[in-house]
Amino acid sequence: MKFITKCPVPRSKLRPFSVSMRLDKDEQSFQELINSIRANGVEQDLIVRTTETENIFEVIDGNRRYEATGNLGWGDAPLPCDIREMTDKEAWTLALRVNLLRAAPSPESLGNFIQMMRMKFGWTQHEVSRQIGKSQSWVSRQEKLFQDKSLPSGTGEAQARALRGAPEKVRTTILEESNSTGILPSATEIRKRAEARKAAVLEELDHSKHDEEYAAFLFRVQGGYMEEEAKGLASKWNRGELEKKTPLDTPPRMSDLNRKSSITRVFEQLTKYYPSEIVDTASKTSGGSTNLETLMRHCRRYISELNTQASEELKQRVLDQFMI
């Protein structure tokens, strides 16, 4: 990159950057910028670079100021510019770096710009991170955030991380509410709702009565976690890493220790007679019912169907294994 000079350049000799840094547009902020320029002029130099066309310059930093002066009708008015020579790589990197320093664009805009940079220059995430002074994990998160089309527009990085860490049922419920109201809860609120779901499952688990398999089953059915998430939590619970903590100044009451929700009693009863995988399937096929008779009926129907389709050899092997 080579600095040339600082001087006013007629607006008609400028052209906007080839790729917009911002996919969305904050109308209120843009109107405030227009009002400021109308009252005080352009107070900060635009960073521009020379182009293949003589006396035509491309705006690298200052595209909103350039657009705002157009809205004000500054056809050929001179704008203060910092003129430089730079390659495409230098221009793209500078555009991203200065926007991050001033005010981070929306997650969609960041992810889109980073993805286009990588495609244009064949850069890895590590190369992008080195150019802009961010970690590779930060670059990766921006791309994932842009690529996740299930997230509402304007979702922040913290909100996206909280949603990814929440149980599937919590995540689905929150996104459905957001689509309806247009408002996505804060990352703190999302984490609180996820923790409440996990805490409710932990209250129902007892090491003296339940094993890891049942814990995974309960995390799936009652907690709403995906299968791998449920297995991971069950494993932690089994190792004593997810014990419910009771404040020292609040001794546990017998009523709390003995209390069991109706859904837990139903599933405990079912798992006496059927493997948890069968009960899990019955719960799904029944539409999430927690009624004992309904679930028993679905379990029997599922077992009957399995028995009908199983080969005689398999049936005999099962009998040999489980007959006392």
Side-chain angles (χ1 to χ4, degrees):
M1 185 184 306
K2 179 182 176 182
F3 171 76
I4 298 180
T5 187
K6 286 191 176 185
C7 66
V9 175
R11 189 180 182 281
S12 60
K13 300 296 185 182
L14 300 175
R15 72 185 190 199
F17 191 47
S18 56
V19 177
S20 175
M21 170 60 69
R22 299 173 187 270
L23 294 180
D24 52 352
K25 187 174 180 179
D26 186 335
E27 293 295 343
Q28 180 178 345
S29 172
F30 186 63
Q31 187 57 50
E32 289 172 356
L33 176 62
I34 291 176
N35 295 338
S36 174
I37 292 176
R38 180 186 288 117
N40 307 303
V42 177
E43 298 179 290
Q44 186 177 4
D45 291 354
L46 285 69
I47 299 178
V48 304
R49 69 167 174 165
T50 56
T51 67
E52 68 283 352
T53 305
E54 187 176 1
N55 293 326
I56 297 296
F57 305 92
E58 184 178 34
V59 180
I60 306 304
D61 175 48
N63 282 275
R64 291 174 77 242
R65 280 164 276 163
Y66 171 80
E67 184 180 353
T69 55
N71 283 24
L72 288 168
W74 291 20
D76 206 31
L79 304 182
C81 291
D82 174 345
I83 304 174
R84 307 182 187 185
E85 284 184 1
M86 62 183 86
T87 65
D88 282 352
K89 289 181 180 180
E90 290 171 334
W92 280 62
T93 301
L94 179 64
L96 180 54
R97 216 168 43 229
V98 294
N99 272 276
L100 289 174
L101 287 172
R102 185 181 300 112
S106 69
E108 295 97 326
S109 299
L110 274 177
N112 176 64
F113 195 82
I114 289 171
Q115 194 164 276
M116 292 184 71
M117 281 181 77
R118 293 186 58 206
M119 292 173 63
K120 181 176 179 64
F121 304 118
W123 283 349
T124 63
Q125 290 180 345
H126 174 70
E127 286 170 317
V128 173
S129 70
R130 185 169 54 81
Q131 292 287 340
I132 64 175
K134 292 283 188 178
S135 68
Q136 182 175 338
S137 61
W138 181 90
V139 174
S140 176
R141 289 198 302 271
Q142 305 315 309
E143 286 200 88
K144 285 180 180 177
L145 202 55
F146 172 68
Q147 293 162 359
D148 190 347
K149 301 306 180 185
S150 68
L151 298 177
S153 177
T155 300
E157 183 183 346
Q159 291 169 306
R161 286 203 307 271
L163 281 169
R164 282 196 289 268
E168 180 64 23
K169 286 183 180 177
V170 172
R171 186 160 52 238
T172 301
T173 300
I174 289 175
L175 290 176
E176 287 176 350
E177 291 173 358
S178 174
N179 289 335
S180 174
T181 64
I183 300 172
L184 185 67
S186 67
T188 300
E189 177 60 26
I190 294 170
R191 283 193 292 270
K192 281 182 180 178
R193 290 172 67 169
E195 285 299 315
R197 185 66 72 102
K198 182 167 68 177
V201 174
L202 290 174
E203 284 189 4
E204 309 303 335
L205 291 171
D206 185 337
H207 280 287
S208 66
K209 298 179 180 178
H210 306 134
D211 59 12
E212 185 176 324
E213 183 183 12
Y214 180 76
F217 166 70
L218 206 60
F219 274 117
R220 286 197 308 273
V221 174
Q222 187 171 332
Y225 290 89
M226 300 295 284
E227 185 170 357
E228 289 305 313
E229 295 174 322
K231 287 180 179 178
L233 288 170
S235 178
K236 287 184 177 180
W237 170 80
N238 197 40
R239 296 195 302 267
E241 297 175 10
L242 290 181
E243 296 296 339
K244 182 185 175 186
K245 294 178 175 61
T246 305
L248 295 177
D249 58 347
T250 311
R253 296 174 298 179
M254 288 304 297
S255 59
D256 291 332
L257 295 175
N258 295 329
R259 180 171 58 85
K260 288 189 178 298
S261 70
S262 59
I263 184 173
T264 303
R265 289 197 297 271
V266 167
F267 287 123
E268 282 186 342
Q269 184 73 9
L270 286 169
T271 51
K272 290 180 182 179
Y273 305 102
Y274 301 102
S276 59
E277 291 85 358
I278 299 294
V279 181
D280 195 8
T281 301
S283 175
K284 293 176 182 176
T285 59
S286 67
S289 173
T290 57
N291 179 273
L292 179 60
E293 291 184 3
T294 300
L295 288 171
M296 287 282 277
R297 185 168 64 253
H298 278 266
C299 283
R300 287 195 298 269
R301 184 177 299 165
Y302 188 56
I303 289 291
S304 174
E305 187 64 25
L306 287 176
N307 183 62
T308 301
Q309 297 187 25
S311 65
E312 291 302 322
E313 180 186 357
L314 177 58
K315 293 178 185 178
Q316 189 57 50
R317 286 212 313 270
V318 172
L319 287 173
D320 293 341
Q321 182 175 349
F322 291 99
M323 286 293 286
I324 300 176

